[in-house]
Amino acid sequence: MKFTGAVCIAFVIVLVSSLTWTNAFVEEETKGVCVPNELKPCIPAVKTGSKPTTECCGVLKKQTSCLCGYIKDPKFSEYVKSKYAHMVLSTCGIPYPKC
């Protein structure tokens, strides 16, 4: 009987742990996933100051929560901090992040 009780307790612990992990995954999904390659439609506007495309604005809105991470990442910060980045974000209706 003690062995069965221990197995049941272990099962409950594993079940609760997996639910916590699942909730964290679902929360991450609702926040959006940071995929820098999806921002390629924005490169011309960020580099030249041209008007951002609708596709660019859509991707930026989807990844707004990622902008601070991009600012802190040396691979992407030059784009997010460029002289045209503020203009692109403003045109898309996205406030420049305060990180």
Side-chain angles (χ1 to χ4, degrees):
M1 185 69 175
K2 288 183 179 182
F3 177 74
T4 305
V7 169
C8 287
I9 291 172
F11 177 77
V12 170
I13 291 171
V14 170
L15 180 64
V16 171
S17 297
S18 68
L19 290 176
T20 303
W21 181 82
T22 302
N23 286 339
F25 181 76
V26 170
E27 287 175 8
E28 187 64 32
E29 283 289 312
T30 58
K31 288 181 186 175
V33 178
C34 302
V35 182
N37 283 340
E38 289 183 4
L39 295 171
K40 284 183 180 180
C42 300
I43 290 176
V46 170
K47 284 189 169 183
T48 66
S50 61
K51 184 178 179 194
T53 63
T54 304
E55 183 182 9
C56 169
C57 289
V59 172
L60 281 172
K61 287 177 182 173
K62 183 177 146 189
Q63 294 198 33
T64 301
S65 64
C66 303
L67 293 177
C68 283
Y70 294 147
I71 288 171
K72 294 173 185 173
D73 188 328
K75 292 182 282 186
F76 307 113
S77 63
E78 69 177 281
Y79 299 105
V80 185
K81 292 180 178 180
S82 77
K83 65 181 181 178
Y84 298 119
H86 289 272
M87 184 270 310
V88 170
L89 290 172
S90 176
T91 301
C92 293
I94 301 167
Y96 194 82
K98 297 176 183 175
C99 307

